[in-house]
C-alpha cells in the first residue's frame, strides 16, 4: 500500500538512487524536467511517465496473483499460446489507436517477461519458505480479465506519451523520475524492482 509520506527531490539522479537495483542510466535532470516544488505523494508516480509506470507496477502486482494461482499446480509459468494471444490482441488494438503494432508488442513482451520474473521469484521464495506460500488460490479467469483491462489502459498510456517517449534523453530522465518514485510509493522489494526494470526497458526505445 502506498504511504502518504512526502519525499522531495530535485533530479532524476536522486530518483534513480531511490530505485536501488534498477539498471537505468540517466543524465542529471534539467530544471525544466522537474516541476518546481514537485513532491512524492500518494497521488501517483512523478513526471510525464508516472501514470504509465503506475500501470506497469499494477500489472506486476497482478503477477503475484498469477503466481499464487499457479503455485502447487501443473500450470506452467511459461504459456506460449496465451502469450501469443495477448501479443496478437495488442497488435490489433495498437493499430486501431494509431500506435506502431510492433513497438507496442515489444513493450508488452517486456510486461510478460517481467511478470515471469515475479512468478519465478515467488515460486522460489515459497518453495524455500513454505510458511510464506499463499493459502488461497486466485481464479486465473478473473486474473485474465484484469490483465485484459490493463492491456487497454497501458496502450492508452503509450498513446498519450508518444511525444515524450520519442525524445530519448528526455524520456530517460522522465522514466527515472517515474520509476524511482514508484519504488518508494509501492515499497517494491528487490524482486519487484528487478521486474520493473525489465518491464520498462523499451519505454524509451527509438
Amino acid at each position: 500500500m502506498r504511504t502518504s509520506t512526502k519525499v522531495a527531490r530535485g533530479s532524476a539522479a536522486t530518483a534513480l538512487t531511490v530505485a536501488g537495483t534498477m539498471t537505468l542510466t540517466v543524465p542529471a535532470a534539467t530544471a525544466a524536467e522537474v516541476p518546481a516544488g514537485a513532491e512524492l505523494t500518494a497521488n501517483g508516480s512523478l513526471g510525464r511517465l508516472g501514470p504509465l509506470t503506475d500501470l506497469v507496477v499494477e500489472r506486476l502486482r497482478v503477477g503475484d496473483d498469477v503466481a499464487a494461482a499457479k503455485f502447487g499446480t501443473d500450470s506452467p509459468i511459461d504459456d506460449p499460446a496465451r502469450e501469443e494471444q495477448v501479443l496478437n490482441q495488442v497488435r490489433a488494438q495498437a493499430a486501431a489507436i494509431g500506435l506502431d503494432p510492433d513497438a507496442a508488442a515489444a513493450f508488452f513482451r517486456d510486461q510478460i517477461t517481467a511478470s515471469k520474473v515475479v512468478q519465478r521469484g515467488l515460486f522460489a521464495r515459497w518453495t524455500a519458505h513454505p510458511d510464506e506460500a499463499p493459502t488461497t488460490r486466485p481464479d486465473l479467469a478473473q486474473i485474465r480479465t484484469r490483465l485484459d483491462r490493463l492491456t487497454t489502459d497501458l496502450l492508452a498510456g503509450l498513446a498519450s506519451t508518444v511525444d515524450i517517449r520519442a525524445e530519448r534523453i528526455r524520456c530517460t530522465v522522465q522514466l527515472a523520475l517515474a520509476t524511482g518514485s514508484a519504488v518508494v510509493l509501492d515499497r517494491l522489494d528487490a524482486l519487484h524492482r528487478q521486474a520493473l526494470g525489465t518491464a520498462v526497458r523499451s519505454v524509451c526505445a527509438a
Side-chain angles (χ1 to χ4, degrees):
M1 179 180 295
R2 294 187 168 187
T3 69
S4 60
T5 302
K6 295 182 178 181
V7 182
R9 66 275 193 241
S11 71
T14 302
L16 185 60
T17 299
V18 170
T21 60
M22 292 188 61
T23 55
L24 290 173
T25 302
V26 268
T30 63
E33 296 294 344
V34 186
E39 292 183 320
L40 188 62
T41 71
N43 294 328
S45 300
L46 270 183
R48 288 283 311 279
L49 294 175
L52 178 63
T53 300
D54 289 339
L55 288 170
V56 169
V57 172
E58 183 179 349
R59 196 182 193 284
L60 289 178
R61 292 299 194 190
V62 176
D64 292 25
D65 291 336
V66 174
K70 292 181 177 181
F71 186 70
T73 73
D74 293 331
S75 297
I77 290 176
D78 290 290
D79 188 348
R82 167 65 180 171
E83 292 168 17
E84 193 58 33
Q85 180 184 7
V86 169
L87 294 177
N88 286 338
Q89 174 189 351
V90 163
R91 289 187 180 95
Q93 288 185 246
I97 61 174
L99 286 173
D100 182 330
D102 290 335
F107 172 80
F108 274 88
R109 192 175 297 280
D110 287 344
Q111 307 316 300
I112 292 169
T113 301
S115 179
K116 291 192 284 190
V117 168
V118 170
Q119 292 176 56
R120 291 192 177 97
L122 290 177
F123 271 35
R125 183 183 302 171
W126 296 336
T127 299
H129 304 282
D131 57 306
E132 297 180 12
T135 56
T136 59
R137 182 167 290 123
D139 185 339
L140 267 177
Q142 293 182 4
I143 291 172
R144 286 175 176 173
T145 297
R146 291 164 61 196
L147 288 172
D148 287 342
R149 174 186 62 79
L150 280 167
T151 294
T152 299
D153 291 346
L154 282 162
L155 283 168
L158 290 176
S160 68
T161 56
V162 168
D163 59 336
I164 187 72
R165 293 187 297 102
E167 300 178 38
R168 167 76 70 167
I169 294 177
R170 190 177 176 208
C171 178
T172 304
V173 169
Q174 289 291 324
L175 185 60
L177 288 170
T179 53
S181 54
V183 166
V184 175
L185 286 170
D186 289 283
R187 298 182 178 182
L188 299 185
D189 61 12
L191 173 62
H192 290 81
R193 290 199 302 271
Q194 177 188 356
L196 179 57
T198 296
V200 300
R201 61 189 176 189
S202 64
V203 167
C204 296

